[in-house]
Amino acid sequence: MPAGNNAFGDAAYDVIPVTPPESAEAYRVGPFDILNISVFDEPSLTFPQMPVDASGAFDYPLIGRGCRRQTTVEVSREIKRQLDARYLRDARVTVFVTKSAAQRITIEGNVTEPGVYELSGGNASLLEAIAMAKSPTRTANLKQVMVFRTIDNQRMGAVFNLADIRSGAAADPTLRGGDIVVVGFDSLKGAFRDFLTTAPFFNVFQNFWHSHDH
């Protein structure tokens, strides 16, 4: 992979920042998620395990069908609006995702257990993600850890030095659902490498932020 087409150093953190976005605002509830819906002082309207069905909706007592790709903040506001209008006065509603079927990352390359992993909290740091895959192999190139992310419908990417992150010399970026982590791109073989290098996927690297080569 041409080194000049990847974001390195400080530019890598423009693509994959350390501080996550406001995940409660940004994350939209999807099919097969599990929600925790709490109404203060109303145990009969509080549900620690509210399943979302295949259509992306759920059945809430007294209200009926709710959700469909709303953020957790929008869900809580809608439940509050309907409860206030029909049953309660100034309901205090909180909603968060306890299990997200959509929030998964793919970890490939020189790690002990490559695969797809769920982000229970909606995001994880790069070090936490590598730990999910049981750490890099002994032959892994820790200076060549790539993270791919779709931003504004374009696949972007960044290269991180895992050794520097481990030692504290570099910040630990935050991953989110849909990210692909590749430890040691040059060592990839087979179908996954073919997938990464197939146009138009590979061609969008020209849109990366450019920085100095390492």
Side-chain angles (χ1 to χ4, degrees):
M1 175 180 297
N5 283 345
N6 302 312
F8 291 94
D10 292 342
Y13 292 92
D14 290 335
V15 183
I16 312 293
V18 174
T19 303
E22 294 297 329
S23 56
E25 290 279 351
Y27 178 71
R28 294 188 178 276
V29 176
F32 307 115
D33 285 353
I34 303 295
L35 305 181
N36 181 312
I37 302 176
S38 175
V39 181
F40 180 73
D41 233 10
E42 294 290 339
S44 64
L45 296 175
T46 295
F47 299 89
Q49 299 286 320
M50 173 65 73
V52 180
D53 66 21
S55 71
F58 60 89
D59 290 309
Y60 189 80
L62 306 180
I63 293 176
R65 301 285 279 175
C67 199
R68 292 190 183 278
R69 300 303 296 166
Q70 291 180 319
T71 68
T72 52
V73 171
E74 289 170 341
V75 172
S76 64
R77 287 173 179 167
E78 179 61 19
I79 292 175
K80 171 181 170 56
R81 184 186 70 80
Q82 295 204 42
L83 289 178
D84 285 350
R86 303 180 188 182
Y87 310 105
L88 300 176
R89 181 178 180 180
D90 194 21
R92 294 161 61 181
V93 182
T94 58
V95 177
F96 62 89
V97 179
T98 59
K99 183 177 181 181
S100 172
Q103 294 298 289
R104 294 188 175 100
I105 58 174
T106 300
I107 306 175
E108 286 289 344
N110 285 328
V111 290
T112 304
E113 295 184 9
V116 179
Y117 293 88
E118 184 173 309
L119 300 178
S120 59
N123 54 61
S125 74
L126 179 56
L127 282 181
E128 290 171 339
I130 297 298
M132 293 178 193
K134 309 301 182 186
S135 300
T137 63
R138 292 183 179 180
T139 59
N141 182 356
L142 299 184
K143 294 181 179 180
Q144 194 186 61
V145 177
M146 303 189 68
V147 180
F148 299 87
R149 174 174 296 174
T150 299
I151 301 174
D152 295 331
N153 295 319
Q154 292 188 330
R155 182 73 70 177
M156 310 298 288
V159 180
F160 296 96
N161 186 324
L162 193 66
D164 284 350
I165 294 173
R166 280 178 165 178
S167 69
D172 191 6
T174 299
L175 307 183
R176 67 188 187 196
D179 287 351
I180 299 173
V181 179
V182 180
V183 179
F185 184 88
D186 290 340
S187 67
L188 283 180
K189 297 179 181 179
F192 194 79
R193 183 182 177 92
D194 292 341
F195 163 70
L196 291 180
T197 56
T198 298
F201 182 95
F202 188 72
N203 292 339
V204 302
F205 287 122
Q206 64 185 327
N207 297 314
F208 287 179
W209 286 271
H210 295 287
S211 185
H212 58 281
D213 295 351
H214 280 30

